[in-house]
Amino acid sequence: GESVGLHLPTLSVQEGDNSIINCAYSNSASDYFIWYKQESGKGPQFIIDIRSNMDKRQGQRVTVLLNKTVKHLSLQIAATQPGDSAVYFCAENKENTGFQKLVFGTGTRLLVSP
Amino acid sequence: DSGVTQTPKHLITATGQRVTLRCSPRSGDLSVYWYQQSLDQGLQFLIQYYNGEERAKGNILERFSAQQFPDLHSELNLSSLELGDSALYFCASSGGLDNEQFFGPGTRLTVL
């Protein structure tokens, strides 16, 4: 069964569309950001990360954009597939502290229709 | 499969009881993190251990405690359980202090 809140914002797209999931972070001192994907009944899975000295980073079918001015992070998924259906979380961290204490956002549910 | 294992997968218990959740990190990982995921609070960091030592604390209640053993596995102890402690508890591990975290499948705790 689902492991996250019932009132998550939901993004519904058609297979093949591009998806954009947004996240606002809270700590202007955060300098490391990560996107996680959580499928039903599973633990979060790392997708992509970005450090604050960058404003864009690309992976396989995914791109993360960072706007430090407005403390906004986005995840773009190209050619979305039904297997991309999941809850997506952004997480922030302040590095160089000797430990990684991630603060997670509330999550966005992505629903991909065939 | 992340390589992180957690037991048990499900746990049902009563209020006031005490339970122990177990986590085995990926082979070679020294850091272990515990998270709680509930419906109303989302995913929250509880505590981190690195090579047997506590390194960071988050929103962990005094009724909760954890430890990391010499073989690097970790246990999260939850005592005087309340209904509100019902949640998914995830363990994650990483190779160092600031590396990517790999999450286990979680333990679903239900307090009745």
Side-chain angles (χ1 to χ4, degrees), chain A residues 1-6 32 36 38 41-44 46 51 89 93 95-102 104, chain B residues 9 33 35 37-39 43-45 48 55-58 88 90 97-106 108:
Chain A
E2 282 297 339
S3 58
V4 295
L6 297 176
Y32 179 59
Y36 281 90
Q38 187 175 21
K42 296 184 179 180
F46 174 92
R51 287 178 165 78
F89 294 94
N93 184 50
E95 283 200 311
N96 300 320
T97 57
F99 59 88
Q100 193 181 79
K101 183 178 172 181
L102 295 178
F104 282 81
Chain B
K9 190 172 177 62
Y33 310 78
Y35 292 86
Q37 187 174 41
S38 59
L39 288 177
L43 195 62
Q44 292 209 318
F45 169 76
Q48 179 203 359
R55 279 300 182 124
K57 260 187 173 180
L88 270 169
F90 288 104
L97 292 171
D98 293 316
N99 294 339
E100 175 186 340
Q101 295 183 29
F102 294 85
F103 282 77
R108 182 178 291 279

Side-chain angles (χ1 to χ4, degrees), chain A residues 71-111:
Chain A
K71 293 191 287 185
H72 183 267
L73 198 64
S74 69
L75 177 70
Q76 300 178 0
I77 305 174
T80 313
Q81 302 167 0
D84 294 327
S85 293
V87 177
Y88 290 81
F89 294 94
C90 65
E92 59 182 294
N93 184 50
K94 178 72 175 71
E95 283 200 311
N96 300 320
T97 57
F99 59 88
Q100 193 181 79
K101 183 178 172 181
L102 295 178
V103 176
F104 282 81
T106 53
T108 296
R109 190 187 311 276
L110 176 65
L111 296 175

Side-chain angles (χ1 to χ4, degrees), chain B residues 44-61:
Chain B
Q44 292 209 318
F45 169 76
L46 295 178
I47 197 164
Q48 179 203 359
Y49 279 81
Y50 176 77
N51 203 21
E53 294 186 3
E54 181 185 305
R55 279 300 182 124
K57 260 187 173 180
N59 300 321
I60 187 166
L61 299 172

